[in-house]
């Protein structure tokens, strides 16, 4: 009997799912897991919340009481007192409104503001085939925003309607190119350095054109002698370019300026300032230091003892001294090292020093990338019969540079931040140079925090964008599958 | 059958210098050497011509003449009658002081923030990310200027600390932050051993005695630990050591301090200024704080990366061996993480030392301020002073990176 016991009740259908306990879902679960999972965690949360409360309670009133329209610090304070009562403090952003042009352009002539603006806008177009070549969506978004910005900014900067229309046409054409054949924009990348220099400093068009012609001549010499081997062709290219710049360019330029004069208003370097200056130095430094750094890294890894020790000496020397002492060399000592009577532009001197400085750091980063490559890659390149330059160009550098991207970009970020140091050789950087001269005026005496916060925010935006871009680049270039 | 024979001997041709890999590297090096020497000769020739044209010469005798300027903060005896060389020394020590203290505080901040950024606590991790991103993406010069402005603009006058004034001292009435200086307690010894004169400057014997006692204690605790390990290897049981090492690490220093009669001289307001303590200039405080906070953000990232670099399998393996979490950390994770952390950490220390030359923004007289600043302006010898300054920074950097290389070699993975 016992084995034939029948159950009193057998459930025939499955119960419906019950709702999970309240502590396991939604906000409460998230809070439990992320903020209050244990005594230590709870303590940390409370401490963090306290810090956050302190930060906000100290700074919020100051931001809330902001004044945007005033003509002096005194007026700002009067407005704040009238609105928020005696003893209230607040930000006086009117200083930024009032001196916006100063922060952006320094003492650049007001009627020529469109030139640096155009140079900056075209920078993105020139960089597009290199920087955003793969994703059409990102490319079009960046370029479209820049085009709209330029078209809106031009009338505001006092450029006439015909010129703006012309710009609109040119930008439209380039946008179409960027949509359909981004590589066609490479011609802009090629001429951009000369174009930017001409836009920024003005003067005769022949200076930048003939300087760029040196590169074309070098390239022509390189291709003409290519069959003779790498050393001869590189040597010929360098020799011809140098000969052109040092001997032929001057007379040719004089001739062209006499017979075909074509110049726009020149702007002297001491008129540069603000973010125009920071970006000029920063962009030039970035563009020049990357190839130089790669060459230095290769030289440091070279089998040739002399080349290697020269590279090591240079890199260690540059990395061992503060940038500010190199800037002193640029402003004080270069007059001793160059032939008597040479006196070339201070911004150019600073760019050279900043480039050398960044190149040494990039060389170390790239060297790390080269060292990280497995030995087998070098051996595979050798066994394919590739010569040194082919192996570097096709096998080694693409991989080494890919590994080095984060380091290279953080070097660039560091360099862009370091452009503020040019204030100590008498240039008007946005952080101290411009801020000091704005504060020296009678109306804005005593406004300490607002300019610093403003300039800091702009630097933050640029640098944060650069670091995000490096992350995007890393993802895009990722080739392995784990 | 094939006839094996040597290829016909060819006489050396000039083109082999370029196309034959046996000779090519030699050719290139000779050309590079010639170019380098030509360039060096050109620079030196230019310099000599330019110096002659200005009626100057190249010598360092200016270091021996009277400096004639005062330096607010000095670690060794100095007055305006001292020589420029003495001013250089004062500046160098000021640079080293701010770099040393900055490295310590930056490391503390960096480790703290880096670990907290990895915490599972959402709020704290986000706050630390905010700190790191804000400080890393903004020029250090901005932080120096802002913190200097906080000290000079937002801090009260010394006068405000008087009875019934608006300001009050912090840290149990021992520190007063005023708009001109920060008054901190002065370490004093009632049974001082005096100073030792080593020719160039005086060294406090008290400091030496304390350092000697602490180092001896540390060394003794190492011996205790080594003995404990030997016992463990022999018997399998590890003797209890924590109270011995704790005593050896703390007692010698404390006892020496007591024997020397250590006490603090607290600053108090006398008249219009604080006296009785040390008045540290705000230029130093701002530079120190800003460099520490800025470099701390970078160190936090290095620490975070170092901890993340150790794969989780290492922790699991240690747990599988039966190690407790504390031992897992000290025996398995930390030694491996340190190998990743130390080299970039040292290079951050180097960066901090070099960035201390931004003292120019606050007027703190470091090496750049004395040798590369006032001395340069007074003597008009740009070439000598700037070169000497660069040389000193270079030697400092090479010393630090040399120490790093020795350390790297000692902790490198021993591959067999």
């Amino acid at each position: 009997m016992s084995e034939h016991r029948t159950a009193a009740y057998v459930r025939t259908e499955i119960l419906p799912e019950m709702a999970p306990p309240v502590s396991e879902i939604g906000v409460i679960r998230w809070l439990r897991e992320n903020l209050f999972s244990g005594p230590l965690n709870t303590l940390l949360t409370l401490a963090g919340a306290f810090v956050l409360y302190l930060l906000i309670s100290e700074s919020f009133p100051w931001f809330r009481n902001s004044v945007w329209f005033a003509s002096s610090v005194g007026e700002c304070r009067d407005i704040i007192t009238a609105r928020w009562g005696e003893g209230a403090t607040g930000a006086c952003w009117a200083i930024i409104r009032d001196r916006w042009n100063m922060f952006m352009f320094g003492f650049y002539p007001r009627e020529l503001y469109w030139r640096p603006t155009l140079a900056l806008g075209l920078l993105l177009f020139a960089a597009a085939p290199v920087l955003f070549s793969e994703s059409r969506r990102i490319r079009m978004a960046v370029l479209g925003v820049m085009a709209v910005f330029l078209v809106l900014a031009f009338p505001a900067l006092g450029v006439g309607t015909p010129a703006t229309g012309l710009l609109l046409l040119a930008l439209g054409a380039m946008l179409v190119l960027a949509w359909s054949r981004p590589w066609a924009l490479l011609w802009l990348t090629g001429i951009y350095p000369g174009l930017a220099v001409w836009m920024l400093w003005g003067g005769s068009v022949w200076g930048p054109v003939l300087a760029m012609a040196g590169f074309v001549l070098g390239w022509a010499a390189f291709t003409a002698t290519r069959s003779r081997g790498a050393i001869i062709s590189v040597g010929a290219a360098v020799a011809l370019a140098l000969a052109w710049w040092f001997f032929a360019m001057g007379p040719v330029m004089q001739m062209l300026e006499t017979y075909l004069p074509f110049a726009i208003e020149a702007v002297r370097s001491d008129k540069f300032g603000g973010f125009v200056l920071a970006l000029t130095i920063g962009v030039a430094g970035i563009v020049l230091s990357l190839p130089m750094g790669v060459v230095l890294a290769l030289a440091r890894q070279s089998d040739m003892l002399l080349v290697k020790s020269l590279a090591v000496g240079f890199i260690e020397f540059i990395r061992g001294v503060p940038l500010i002492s190199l800037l002193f060399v640029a402003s004080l000592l270069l007059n001793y090292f160059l032939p008597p009577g040479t006196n070339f532009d201070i911004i150019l001197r600073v760019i050279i020093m900043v480039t050398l400085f960044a190149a040494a750091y990039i060389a170390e980063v790239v060297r790390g990338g080269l060292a990280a490559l497995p030995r087998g890659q070098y051996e595979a390149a050798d066994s394919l019969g590739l010569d040194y330059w082919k192996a570097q160009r096709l096998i080694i550098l693409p991989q080494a540079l890919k590994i080095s991207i984060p380091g290279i970009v953080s070097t660039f970020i560091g360099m862009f931040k370091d452009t503020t140091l040019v204030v100590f050789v008498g240039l008007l950087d946005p952080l101290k140079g411009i801020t000091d001269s704005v504060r020296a005026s009678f109306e804005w005496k005593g406004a300490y925090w607002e300019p610093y916060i403003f300039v800091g925010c702009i630097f933050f935006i640029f640098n944060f964008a650069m670091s995000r871009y490096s992350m995007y680049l890393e993802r895009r270039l990722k080739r392995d599958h784990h | 059958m094939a006839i094996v024979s040597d290829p016909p001997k060819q006489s050396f041709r000039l083109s082999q210098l370029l196309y034959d890999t046996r000779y090519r590297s030699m050719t290139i090096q000779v050309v590079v050497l010639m170019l380098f020497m030509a360039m060096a000769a050109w620079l030196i020739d230019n310099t000599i011509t330019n110096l002659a044209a200005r009626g100057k010469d190249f010598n360092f005798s200016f270091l021996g003449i009277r400096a004639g300027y005062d330096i607010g903060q000095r670690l060794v005896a100095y007055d305006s009658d001292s020589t420029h060389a003495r001013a250089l020394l004062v500046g160098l020590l000021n640079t080293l002081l701010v770099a040393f203290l900055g490295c310590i505080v930056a490391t503390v901040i960096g480790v703290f923030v880096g670990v907290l950024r990895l915490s599972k606590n959402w709020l704290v991790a986000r706050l630390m990310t905010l700190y790191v991103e804000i400080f890393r993406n903004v020029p250090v010069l901005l932080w120096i200027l802002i913190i200097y402005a906080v000290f000079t603009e937002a801090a009260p006058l010394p006068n405000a600390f008087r009875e019934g004034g608006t300001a009050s001292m912090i840290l149990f009435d021992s520190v007063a932050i005023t708009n001109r200086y920060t008054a901190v307690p002065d370490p004093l010894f009632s049974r001082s051993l005096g100073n030792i004169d080593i020719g160039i400057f005086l060294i406090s014997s008290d400091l030496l005695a304390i350092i000697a006692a602490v180092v001896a204690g540390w060394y003794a605790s190492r011996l205790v630990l080594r003995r404990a390990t030997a016992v463990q290897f022999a018997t399998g049981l590890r003797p209890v050591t924590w109270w011995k090492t704790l005593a050896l690490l703390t007692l010698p220093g404390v006892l020496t301090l007591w024997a020397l009669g250590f006490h603090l001289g607290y600053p108090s307001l006398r008249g219009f200024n604080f006296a009785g303590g040390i008045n540290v200039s705000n230029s130093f405080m701002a530079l120190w704080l800003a460099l520490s906070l800025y470099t701390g953000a970078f160190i936090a990232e290095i620490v975070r990366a170092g901890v993340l670099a150790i794969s989780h399998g290492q922790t699991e393996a240690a747990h599988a061996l039966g190690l407790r979490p504390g031992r897992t950390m000290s025996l398995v994770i930390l030694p491996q993480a340190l190998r990743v952390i130390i080299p970039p950490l040292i290079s951050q220390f180097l960066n901090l030392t070099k960035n201390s030359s931004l003292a120019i923004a606050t007027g703190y007289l470091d090496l750049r301020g004395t040798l590369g600043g006032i001395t340069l302006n007074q003597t008009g010898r740009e070439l000598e002073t700037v070169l000497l300054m660069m040389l000193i920074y270079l030697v400092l950097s090479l010393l630090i990176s040399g120490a790093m290389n020795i350390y790297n070699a000692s902790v490198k993975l021993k591959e067999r």
Side-chain angles (χ1 to χ4, degrees):
Chain A
M1 278 304 277
S2 65
E3 63 264 42
H4 291 288
R5 200 187 298 151
T6 50
Y9 171 74
V10 175
R11 186 180 286 283
T12 53
E13 78 281 7
I14 294 176
L15 275 177
E17 265 182 33
M18 286 175 72
V22 165
S23 61
E24 286 300 314
I25 51 166
V27 180
I28 295 184
R29 177 183 173 191
W30 186 88
L31 283 178
R32 268 172 66 102
E33 279 190 354
N34 290 298
L35 295 180
F36 303 103
S37 62
L40 179 68
N41 219 342
T42 310
L43 203 69
L44 276 178
T45 305
L46 292 180
F50 180 65
V51 170
L52 202 63
Y53 167 77
L54 273 187
L55 282 178
I56 292 178
S57 67
E58 288 291 313
S59 62
F60 177 71
W62 192 75
F63 283 104
R64 184 197 54 197
N65 299 355
S66 294
V67 173
W68 294 87
F69 299 94
S71 58
S72 71
V73 170
E75 200 185 326
C76 265
R77 289 191 183 137
D78 291 344
I79 293 175
I80 292 169
T81 316
R83 199 179 295 160
W84 303 98
E86 198 63 44
T89 55
C92 183
W93 301 112
I95 181 176
I96 309 296
R97 273 183 66 87
D98 191 49
R99 297 301 167 99
W100 172 267
N101 288 338
M102 188 84 170
F103 280 107
M104 291 297 139
F105 300 100
F107 291 101
Y108 210 86
R110 186 170 285 267
E111 65 282 4
L112 299 179
Y113 281 169
W114 63 273
R115 275 170 28 186
T117 315
L118 185 63
L120 175 67
L122 288 182
L123 171 66
L124 283 184
F125 281 88
V130 185
L131 295 188
F132 327 103
S133 60
E134 269 182 25
S135 159
R136 175 181 285 171
R137 207 159 49 89
I138 296 178
R139 188 170 67 232
M140 294 314 289
V142 171
L143 296 188
V145 167
M146 192 31 103
V148 170
F149 164 75
L150 279 182
V151 170
L152 291 181
F154 259 48
L157 295 174
V159 178
T161 319
T164 311
L166 210 61
L167 175 82
L168 198 62
L169 275 183
L171 288 178
M174 281 194 288
L175 279 177
V176 170
L177 266 188
W179 173 269
S180 53
R181 286 184 299 144
W183 294 107
L185 277 178
L186 267 181
W187 62 266
L188 181 65
T189 317
I191 63 164
Y192 182 78
L195 186 65
V197 167
W198 190 49
M199 285 279 121
L200 286 170
W201 277 274
S204 165
V205 73
W206 296 115
V209 166
L210 293 180
M212 297 291 287
F215 290 103
V216 178
L217 277 178
W219 179 250
F222 181 79
T223 39
T225 55
R226 202 171 210 170
S227 56
R228 313 294 296 267
I231 297 182
I232 296 220
S233 48
V234 170
V238 171
L240 189 64
L242 287 180
W244 166 259
W245 285 323
F246 282 109
F247 303 113
M249 200 176 120
V252 173
M253 200 162 103
Q254 265 189 353
M255 201 177 72
L256 281 171
E257 271 177 2
T258 334
Y259 295 108
L260 283 172
F262 185 72
I264 53 177
E265 191 178 331
V267 179
R268 285 207 325 273
S269 280
D270 54 0
K271 301 279 181 201
F272 279 59
F275 281 100
V276 165
L277 178 71
L279 283 171
T280 305
I281 297 174
V283 171
I286 285 174
V287 171
L288 297 173
S289 65
L290 183 60
M292 188 174 173
V294 172
V295 170
L296 273 175
L298 289 179
R300 187 163 185 176
Q301 296 288 77
S302 160
D303 296 330
M304 292 179 260
L305 182 68
L306 187 72
V307 174
K308 183 179 172 154
S309 37
L310 282 179
V312 170
F314 177 80
I315 292 172
E316 292 303 326
F317 170 70
I318 297 279
R319 278 162 44 93
V321 297
L323 177 58
I324 202 168
S325 64
L326 288 178
L327 292 178
F328 278 146
V329 170
S331 73
L332 296 173
L333 299 197
L334 232 47
N335 291 336
Y336 285 100
F337 295 148
L338 296 177
T342 328
N343 191 10
F344 71 99
D345 192 82
I346 179 73
I347 293 186
L348 186 59
R349 287 192 245 173
V350 165
I351 287 177
I352 292 174
M353 282 304 164
V354 167
T355 304
L356 295 181
F357 189 73
Y361 282 81
I362 286 178
E364 282 302 278
V365 172
V366 174
R367 182 172 77 113
L370 289 172
L373 273 197
R375 185 90 208 118
Q377 295 290 330
Y378 291 87
E379 286 162 357
D382 283 347
S383 67
L384 282 175
L386 298 178
D387 67 15
Y388 177 79
W389 288 108
K390 279 215 178 77
Q392 296 296 341
R393 191 161 56 85
L394 299 172
I395 313 271
I396 309 298
L397 279 182
Q399 301 185 67
L401 287 180
K402 192 175 82 183
I403 308 175
S404 326
I405 287 174
I408 291 177
V409 174
S410 55
T411 309
F412 286 161
I413 291 178
M415 196 191 72
F416 186 53
K417 287 188 290 184
D418 282 345
T419 57
T420 50
L421 303 193
V422 299
V423 68
F424 300 120
V425 292
L427 290 172
L428 286 173
D429 84 305
L431 177 53
K432 188 168 158 62
I434 295 288
T435 305
D436 282 355
S437 68
V438 166
R439 252 204 310 268
S441 69
F442 176 72
E443 310 90 87
W444 301 113
K445 211 169 166 60
Y448 276 94
W449 318 110
E450 295 87 351
Y452 288 152
I453 292 175
F454 169 70
V455 174
C457 283
I458 297 204
F459 269 103
F460 182 86
I461 291 169
F462 273 112
N463 293 332
F464 197 69
M466 269 199 265
S467 70
R468 293 293 123 161
Y469 177 76
S470 97
M471 288 180 180
Y472 155 77
L473 206 57
E474 266 179 275
R475 271 201 312 281
R476 197 183 93 188
L477 296 177
K478 208 171 181 131
R479 289 286 183 270
D480 53 5
H481 300 287
H482 50 255
Chain B
M1 277 177 76
I3 301 165
V4 180
S5 65
D6 286 346
K9 282 247 187 254
Q10 289 184 339
S11 58
F12 182 80
R13 281 169 296 118
L14 217 53
S15 66
Q16 269 178 299
L17 284 178
L18 275 183
Y19 295 121
D20 191 325
T21 45
R22 284 171 299 177
Y23 307 113
R24 188 162 60 189
S25 75
M26 208 34 94
T27 320
I28 296 176
Q29 295 194 59
V30 169
V31 172
V32 167
L33 182 67
M34 276 161 35
L35 286 178
F36 175 72
M37 291 188 29
M39 178 123 174
W42 183 69
L43 287 180
I44 292 172
D45 182 59
N46 282 338
T47 310
I48 293 171
T49 323
N50 282 319
L51 280 173
R54 285 158 215 222
K56 288 182 175 179
D57 57 348
F58 185 81
N59 73 60
F60 286 93
S61 58
F62 71 92
L63 286 174
I65 61 175
R66 181 178 174 276
Y69 60 91
D70 242 323
I71 300 177
Q73 178 188 316
R74 47 189 181 262
L75 297 180
V76 295
Y78 173 87
D79 58 40
S80 56
D81 285 332
S82 305
T83 59
H84 282 297
R86 188 85 187 164
L88 185 165
L89 178 72
V90 175
L92 176 61
L93 287 176
N94 282 349
T95 291
L96 291 178
L97 179 73
V98 74
F100 179 70
L101 294 179
C103 285
I104 291 176
V105 176
T107 311
V108 172
I109 294 176
V111 171
F112 188 72
V113 173
V115 171
L116 280 186
R117 212 186 151 182
L118 286 171
S119 138
K120 289 202 178 66
N121 191 309
W122 183 86
L123 181 68
V124 172
R126 289 298 175 291
L127 274 179
M128 295 305 149
T129 310
L130 189 70
Y131 159 75
V132 168
E133 291 295 346
I134 288 184
F135 270 83
R136 281 190 344 148
N137 283 320
V138 171
V140 60
L141 181 61
L142 180 85
W143 295 119
I144 294 175
L145 291 173
I146 283 193
I147 294 179
Y148 190 55
V150 168
F151 273 106
T152 53
E153 300 300 321
L157 283 164
N159 214 359
F161 286 87
R162 70 185 185 280
E163 292 290 322
T166 49
S168 56
M169 293 167 74
I170 54 172
L171 292 179
F172 308 108
D173 273 357
S174 63
V175 175
I177 301 173
T178 77
N179 67 348
R180 277 188 286 142
Y181 49 79
T182 300
V184 297
D186 188 8
L188 296 171
F189 300 95
S190 51
R191 290 183 287 274
S192 175
L193 300 175
N195 295 318
I196 303 174
D197 192 348
I198 62 163
I200 313 170
F201 50 80
L202 303 173
I203 294 183
S204 155
S205 315
D206 308 318
L207 189 66
L208 287 182
I210 295 166
I211 291 176
V214 170
V215 168
W218 176 76
Y219 190 70
S221 77
R222 286 281 299 266
L223 281 184
V224 167
L225 285 179
R226 198 171 300 163
R227 205 182 122 62
T229 310
V231 170
Q232 187 183 13
F233 271 48
T235 65
L237 291 174
R238 190 176 177 84
V240 178
T241 55
W242 66 266
W243 58 271
K244 286 187 211 162
T245 48
L246 188 67
L248 282 172
L249 284 179
T250 52
L251 277 184
V254 174
L255 283 178
T256 319
L257 283 179
W258 176 77
L260 293 172
F262 175 76
H263 61 278
L264 289 174
Y266 288 102
S268 59
L269 195 63
R270 312 227 173 102
F272 291 106
N273 275 310
F274 278 91
I278 303 178
N279 293 344
V280 184
S281 71
N282 278 339
S283 53
F284 171 79
M285 293 297 291
L287 185 69
W288 178 31
L289 258 182
L291 288 177
S292 309
L293 285 170
Y294 180 77
T295 313
F298 285 87
I299 293 180
E301 280 300 271
I302 292 169
V303 170
R304 189 174 77 105
V307 175
L308 286 179
I310 308 306
S311 78
H312 196 60
Q314 296 285 333
T315 319
E316 287 168 349
H319 285 168
L321 284 174
L323 293 179
R324 281 175 277 118
R327 307 230 100 195
T328 306
M329 187 47 100
S330 65
L331 295 177
V332 179
I333 307 294
L334 267 189
Q336 299 187 69
L338 279 184
R339 190 178 292 139
V340 183
I341 291 173
I342 297 282
L345 182 70
I346 304 276
S347 97
Q348 285 306 324
F349 289 169
L350 274 176
N351 279 348
L352 193 150
T353 310
K354 284 182 285 173
N355 279 339
S356 71
S357 59
L358 293 182
I360 188 173
T362 66
Y364 175 65
L365 284 179
D366 68 335
L367 181 64
R368 209 245 24 116
T370 55
L371 176 67
I374 305 179
T375 296
L376 186 157
N377 288 336
Q378 283 195 358
T379 59
R381 293 191 173 269
E382 302 97 77
L383 197 58
E384 291 92 335
T385 49
V386 174
L387 288 183
L388 186 60
M389 181 175 78
M390 289 169 88
L391 183 72
I392 293 176
Y393 275 115
L394 188 62
V395 168
L396 270 184
S397 299
L398 290 181
L399 282 181
I400 298 178
S401 60
M404 175 181 88
N405 287 342
I406 292 175
Y407 174 84
N408 267 349
S410 73
V411 299
K412 204 169 75 177
L413 276 180
K414 307 282 188 295
E415 288 179 18
R416 297 189 176 89

